Amino acid sequence: MADANAYDYDFFISRRGAQADVAQEVAQALIDDGWPEERIFLQDKDLAPGLAILNEIEKAVGRSRHFIAVLCSTYADSHYTNVVEAQTFLHNTDVGTQDRRLIVIKVEPVETPSLLRNFGAVDLHGIDDTATRRTIILNAAHGRTVMTQTAAPIFHGVPDRLDHFTGRDNLLINLQNDLLGASHDAGGAVAVTQALAGMGGVGKTILAAEYAHRHRSTYAGIWWAPAETRAVLEASLAELAGRLDPKLAEEADQVALAKTALEQVQQRAGLAPWLLIYDNVEAPKEIEGLRPTGGAHLIVTTRFQAWPGARADVGLFSRDVSIAFLQERAEFDDEDGASRLAEQLDDLPLALDHAAAYCLETGVTFDEYIAHLYAFIEKKPESSVYRRHREGEETVSGTFSVALARATEKTPHTERLMDLLSALGAEPVPLDLLGRDWMTVPERAEAVGALGRFSLLQQTRTSDDRPAVMVHRLVARVSRANAADNERFEDAISQATALLAEHFPDEAYREPAQWPRCAALLPHVLALRARWSSTMASAKTVRLLYCTGGYLYGRATFADAEPMFRDALAIGKKILGPYNQDVSICLSYLAGLLRSTGRHKEAEPLFREAIEISEKTRGREHPNVATDLNNLATLLREIGQTDEAEALYLEAIEIDEKAYGRNHTEVAIDLCNLANLLRDTGRTGKAEALYREAIKIDETAYGRDHPTVATALNNLAKLLRLTGRAEEAEPLFRESLATYEVRLGVEHPWVNIAAVNLARLLDKLNRGAEAAELRTHYRLYAPTDE
C-alpha cells in the first residue's frame, strides 16, 4: 500500500488549452470534499510566470499520488500532456491500484488515447447540472466507479450512436445518477436495475446506447443483449459466458450458461461494475432469474408501462426539440415546415428520424412529406438510425404492428378495443364512453392493461377530468390499417358512432353545464365524420350529428354547426324518410341557425316543414309541435308579421301548459317570447308581468346564475329602459352581462349583446365615460340591441 505521506500532492490535475475552468472545477470539488488545497497541484495556481514550467510540471507529476487528466481534443492531440505527463506518472509501478489512480475526465466527445485507455474515465460532456458534475468528479476521485487497467475491454452489441442525439439530456443525467450513484452509496460494484419504459419509437434503445457510449470507460465491460423473448436473451448471455471463459463456448445448455455469465460478471467486476443492457423486454417475468445479483448495472428497455421498481418513462419529444431535430437531421432550414411535420407525427422520435432521413435522402420537403405522409412512413430510409433492426420492425408501421400483434394475442378483447380507439380521434377517450353493453368492465380493464403493458395506449384524463385513455395517432393509423385489411374497420366505426350518439349530451344548445363533456367528445365526432362512408350512415349518425351541431350552435360557432345540421338532415331524409321526428329536429336546428345568422327567408320554409312533420308524426298538441311553433313565431316577429306570430305563441303556451303545467321551463320560454312581442307592440304592462313570471320559473328550476335566467333579465331590463325606469334596468343589465360572461365565455355573442345594452343605458343616464370604457373593454361591435 502506498504511503500518502511519501507524496507532496494527493492529486495532479493535468489539463490542456482552454480547460482551465474545468481543472479549477475539479480542484474545487476536491477541496469542498475535504482534500487540503495545498495538496492539489493545479498548473494555474502552483506555477508562477518565469519558471521552467515543463520541468516543474514533471517534478510535480512524480511527487503526486493520483493523476487526473482533463481530456479534450487538444489534450488527446498533445504529445506533452498525452505522453510526457502521463508517462511520467505511469513510471510508478503501483499505478492502477486503489492506492494510486490515473483518472480520465472527459469534457468533449473524444476517443481516449491508447496510453490512457486501460484506466478509469468519466464523462462530463453534455452535463450542465453543477451538483451532478460534482458527484461524477468525486466518484472518480474516490475510485468508486472507475475501472482499473485489469478491466475487461468487452464492448459488445451496442448500436451506433445517433449523430443528432438530442432532447434527452435530463434523462441521461438521471440515469447516470441512479446507476452510478447507487454504486457510490454502496461503496463498490453492486447490482442496480433501471428500466427505460415507453411506447415503440420514443428512442429507448437510442437512449440506452448513448449512455453506454458516454460511459464506456466507466464500466469493466458492456454487454448489449437482445431480449424480445427469454430464449433470445438466454442465447445472448450464453454467448457472454463463452467470451468470459472460452472453455464454456461449446456448452449446449444455454439456460445454465446464461446464469453462469451473470456469476462470471459478478466475479470479474472488481472496483467497477459491468453494464448489461436487455433490449426490448416484453414483461418483468421474462427476465426472472436472469438479473445480476452483484457486480453489474442492468438497463432494461421495455414497452411494459408499469415496470416495477426503478423506472424512467421515456416519452415524446417536446415540440421545440422536434423542430430542431428535423431541421438539423434533414439539413433543411424550414422551421414552419418542421413544426407542421412534427405536429403530424405527434413528436414521436422514431417517426421524426424516419421523416428527416427520407427528406435528406430524396430532397422531399417537409410539406411534401406531410402530403404523402402514410405512403412515406412505409418506406425504409437507409440512414434512419432510429429504425429497428429486428424482423418486422424496419418501418414506423412495422414497429407498432409487431407490438399490436403481441398485445392482441395475449388478450381476446384487446383487438376489439384497439379497433374502436383507432376509429376515434387522437385525443383522450373517456372510459365511460365504453359502455357496459359494449364491453364489460372486467373485459375493458383486461384490454386496457394488455395495451398499456406494450405502451400502445396511455391512461390519462379528459379535458373535463374524467378517466380516459389515448392512443398515439401513428399507432392508431397502423391499427386502422390492420382492421381494414381484416374487414373490421367499418364495424369499429359503427360501434364508435353508436357509443358517441348514446353519450353526447342532447341539451347542450341551451345548457352550458354540458359543454365540458361535449368539448371532450367533439374531437372524436370530427374524426369519425372524416371516416364515414355513404354505407355507414344510420339513425345513430343522424342523432350524433345534430347533437354535436346543437353544442356548436349553443357556443355560437355557427360556421362549424351548420355543416353538422345539413349533413344530419340529408342523411336523415335518405335513411329515415321525410316524415321522421329526427328529421324534424334537424330542420328546426338548421332553421334556427339560419335565423340567428340573418337568413330569414331560408329559415321560414324549414320551420314550417318541421311543424308539418311533427304534427303528422306526433299530433298538433304534442310539445315538440309547440317548440316548432315557438321557433317560427320568433322568426315572424323579427320580420314584422306580429299577428301570426302572436297566435302561434299563444298556441304554444296552451300546448306546453297542458303538457307540463304552468310552472315549467318550456312554458317560461313561451312566456318570454310572447313578452318580447308584447313589448315590441307597446303592451309593456302585460309584457313585464310575463317576464317576471318567466324569471321566477327559471330561477326555481336552474338557479339565478343560469344563462336562461340572464336572457329573461336582459329582456326585462330593456323593457324598463324603454319605459323610463333606467335605474331599475341597470342592475339587471349588469347581472345578465356577468352571468353570460361567466357561463358562456367572454367571446360569446350574447356577452356582446348584453354589454351593448348596458352601454346604451349608461349613455341614456349621461354617463358617457363609463359607456366608453365598457365599449373598449368588450370591443363592442353590435349595431343594435337585442
Side-chain angles (χ1 to χ4, degrees):
M1 178 177 291
D3 181 4
N5 294 323
Y7 301 98
D8 294 335
Y9 303 103
D10 289 314
F11 290 96
F12 180 95
I13 301 175
S14 175
R15 63 93 177 166
R16 177 74 174 172
Q19 301 303 329
D21 290 346
V22 179
Q24 180 60 53
E25 178 187 10
V26 172
Q28 192 60 52
L30 295 170
I31 293 167
D32 292 343
D33 196 48
W35 300 90
E37 181 176 1
E38 64 274 11
R39 293 188 60 82
I40 300 169
F41 184 92
L42 187 63
Q43 173 182 331
D44 305 274
K45 170 178 71 72
D46 294 307
L47 290 179
L51 291 174
I53 292 179
L54 298 184
N55 290 334
E56 291 298 320
I57 287 178
E58 289 182 33
K59 291 178 184 177
V61 170
R63 299 199 305 268
S64 297
R65 183 181 181 189
H66 304 303
F67 183 95
I68 297 177
V70 179
L71 182 60
C72 61
S73 58
T74 54
Y75 191 102
D77 293 339
S78 168
H79 173 77
Y80 188 81
T81 52
N82 186 15
V83 177
V84 178
E85 289 185 9
Q87 280 191 348
T88 299
F89 184 75
L90 289 172
H91 284 162
N92 295 275
T93 56
D94 58 353
V95 172
T97 67
Q98 185 71 343
D99 297 311
R100 301 202 72 205
R101 294 187 290 277
L102 190 153
I103 303 159
V104 178
I105 298 180
K106 291 186 179 183
V107 294
E108 292 178 3
V110 297
E111 288 295 324
T112 305
S114 58
L115 185 68
L116 306 178
R117 197 163 290 159
N118 286 333
F119 296 90
V122 293
D123 200 341
L124 295 182
H125 174 245
I127 299 174
D128 298 324
D129 181 69
T130 302
T132 301
R133 290 171 67 91
R134 180 178 181 277
T135 298
I136 294 170
I137 292 166
L138 293 179
N139 281 346
H142 285 281
R144 293 190 178 115
T145 61
V146 181
M147 61 182 278
T148 69
Q149 67 186 97
T150 61
I154 293 177
F155 186 78
H156 169 81
V158 181
D160 294 338
R161 300 175 82 168
L162 183 66
D163 290 340
H164 303 282
F165 182 87
T166 189
R168 303 302 195 194
D169 286 344
N170 287 337
L171 279 171
L172 275 174
I173 291 171
N174 292 338
L175 183 60
Q176 175 177 280
N177 289 341
D178 291 340
L179 293 176
L180 299 183
S183 291
H184 179 193
D185 294 342
V190 297
V192 186
T193 298
Q194 178 76 29
L196 301 177
M199 70 183 297
V202 292
K204 305 179 294 295
T205 294
I206 293 295
L207 178 62
E210 181 67 17
Y211 178 85
H213 282 284
R214 288 196 184 189
H215 297 281
R216 179 171 182 170
S217 299
T218 303
Y219 288 97
I222 296 177
W223 189 267
W224 186 284
E228 293 90 341
T229 67
R230 186 178 180 90
V232 169
L233 174 59
E234 287 170 344
S236 179
L237 291 175
E239 183 185 351
L240 171 60
R243 288 283 296 274
L244 294 175
D245 185 350
K247 294 191 299 293
L248 299 173
E250 302 302 321
E251 292 289 336
D253 188 344
Q254 288 198 146
V255 176
L257 282 175
K259 295 181 178 180
T260 299
L262 298 177
E263 295 170 359
Q264 291 276 329
V265 161
Q266 183 171 358
Q267 293 169 8
R268 293 167 179 259
L271 291 174
W274 273 69
L275 176 63
L276 305 178
I277 300 169
Y278 295 174
D279 187 37
N280 202 32
V281 177
E282 182 176 307
K285 66 180 182 180
E286 297 298 323
I287 62 170
E288 287 178 2
L290 296 178
R291 298 179 189 234
T293 57
H297 295 165
L298 172 62
I299 295 176
V300 173
T301 74
T302 181
R303 291 169 174 152
F304 194 90
Q305 201 170 47
W307 189 278
R311 183 184 81 245
D313 294 320
V314 185
L316 305 173
F317 279 166
S318 69
R319 182 57 48 81
D320 288 346
V321 169
S322 297
I323 293 169
F325 178 87
L326 281 170
Q327 292 186 99
E328 182 178 2
R329 180 80 172 85
E331 300 179 9
F332 280 4
D333 184 13
D334 181 6
E335 183 173 345
D336 291 341
S339 178
R340 288 188 290 271
L341 180 52
E343 181 178 4
Q344 289 296 315
L345 298 174
D346 267 0
D347 303 297
L348 179 69
L350 168 69
L352 293 167
D353 179 71
H354 183 286
Y358 195 85
C359 291
L360 179 63
E361 290 178 11
T362 64
V364 167
T365 67
F366 294 144
D367 286 325
E368 287 170 339
Y369 191 97
I370 292 170
H372 304 281
L373 181 68
Y374 293 121
F376 285 150
I377 65 172
E378 299 291 347
K379 307 292 184 182
K380 296 187 290 185
E382 292 303 319
S383 60
S384 177
V385 180
Y386 269 81
R387 177 166 55 86
R388 306 301 294 269
H389 296 285
R390 291 191 292 272
E391 182 179 356
E393 297 192 35
E394 293 88 354
T395 67
V396 176
S397 295
T399 296
F400 299 127
S401 292
V402 170
L404 283 166
R406 298 291 289 277
T408 54
E409 72 186 16
K410 300 285 185 181
T411 308
H413 315 295
T414 302
E415 183 176 79
R416 188 175 174 217
L417 176 60
M418 196 67 209
D419 287 350
L420 179 81
L421 295 176
S422 66
L424 297 170
E427 291 75 8
V429 177
L431 285 174
D432 61 10
L433 181 68
L434 313 176
R436 295 184 182 184
D437 293 339
W438 180 75
M439 180 178 282
T440 67
V441 172
E443 289 172 344
R444 186 186 73 197
E446 189 178 23
V448 167
L451 291 169
R453 282 192 294 276
F454 285 87
S455 296
L456 291 169
L457 61 69
Q458 173 187 352
Q459 298 200 47
T460 182
R461 302 190 77 82
T462 61
S463 56
D464 60 334
D465 201 33
R466 297 171 186 253
V469 293
M470 63 185 299
V471 177
H472 191 283
R473 72 177 68 213
L474 295 180
V475 176
R477 190 266 169 187
V478 173
S479 179
R480 284 196 297 275
N482 291 342
D485 290 344
N486 292 283
E487 300 180 349
R488 301 191 313 267
F489 191 47
E490 286 198 10
D491 184 52
I493 290 178
S494 296
Q495 291 179 352
T497 301
L499 290 171
L500 279 171
E502 178 185 344
H503 287 83
F504 205 100
D506 59 0
E507 291 292 328
Y509 165 68
R510 57 186 178 187
E511 186 45 75
Q514 296 180 350
W515 289 359
R517 174 66 163 169
C518 295
L521 297 179
L522 179 61
H524 304 298
V525 178
L526 297 177
L528 278 181
R529 185 165 174 257
R531 293 172 186 139
W532 281 327
S533 68
S534 58
T535 62
M536 298 179 187
S538 67
K540 298 289 188 181
T541 309
V542 176
R543 185 190 184 280
L544 180 57
L545 283 170
Y546 72 65
C547 286
T548 305
Y551 160 65
L552 296 169
Y553 184 16
R555 296 297 299 262
T557 54
F558 301 132
D560 294 329
E562 184 170 344
M564 294 287 181
F565 292 146
R566 290 194 182 278
D567 284 357
L569 180 59
I571 295 170
K573 283 188 172 183
K574 181 177 180 179
I575 68 172
L576 302 176
Y579 291 100
N580 179 275
Q581 192 55 42
D582 277 344
V583 172
S584 175
I585 292 172
C586 295
L587 285 165
S588 186
Y589 264 132
L590 178 56
L593 184 146
L594 294 171
R595 181 190 67 79
S596 297
T597 54
R599 292 172 280 176
H600 292 76
K601 288 184 178 180
E602 295 179 60
E604 183 177 349
L606 300 184
F607 277 136
R608 294 191 185 276
E609 185 179 354
I611 293 170
E612 180 187 356
I613 294 172
S614 292
E615 187 175 357
K616 184 166 287 191
T617 57
R618 301 292 181 92
R620 184 74 178 187
E621 295 187 353
H622 195 277
N624 283 29
V625 176
T627 299
D628 295 334
L629 293 173
N630 236 318
N631 290 332
L632 176 59
T634 298
L635 180 145
L636 294 172
R637 175 179 68 83
E638 290 174 352
I639 63 175
Q641 298 180 25
T642 55
D643 289 344
E644 184 182 358
E646 184 170 351
L648 295 177
Y649 281 141
L650 290 171
E651 184 179 0
I653 291 171
E654 183 180 353
I655 294 171
D656 281 338
E657 191 172 352
K658 184 177 180 180
Y660 302 120
R662 183 74 175 185
N663 293 319
H664 194 274
T665 54
E666 291 295 330
V667 175
I669 292 172
D670 302 339
L671 296 176
C672 249
N673 286 335
L674 177 59
N676 288 338
L677 185 145
L678 296 173
R679 181 196 63 203
D680 294 346
T681 55
R683 290 170 282 178
T684 55
K686 290 182 179 180
E688 182 175 346
L690 293 181
Y691 282 139
R692 294 191 183 279
E693 183 180 359
I695 290 168
K696 183 177 180 181
I697 294 170
D698 286 337
E699 188 174 357
T700 300
Y702 301 126
R704 183 75 175 185
D705 63 342
H706 193 276
T708 301
V709 177
T711 298
L713 290 173
N714 190 68
N715 287 328
L716 174 58
K718 287 166 64 177
L719 182 145
L720 294 173
R721 183 186 67 187
L722 181 67
T723 56
R725 295 145 70 187
E727 291 183 356
E728 293 180 60
E730 182 178 352
L732 300 184
F733 276 138
R734 291 190 181 279
E735 184 178 354
S736 65
L737 174 59
T739 298
Y740 284 153
E741 188 167 349
V742 170
R743 299 298 300 276
L744 305 181
V746 71
E747 299 299 325
H748 199 283
W750 291 2
V751 173
N752 178 271
I753 291 168
V756 167
N757 289 336
L758 177 57
R760 287 180 175 165
L761 178 73
L762 294 172
D763 286 333
K764 190 177 183 71
L765 294 172
N766 296 318
R767 291 154 63 184
E770 292 179 58
E773 183 178 351
L774 191 71
R775 290 187 172 96
T776 299
H777 178 75
Y778 287 98
R779 304 190 301 277
L780 298 182
Y781 57 85
T784 60
D785 51 346
E786 294 287 341

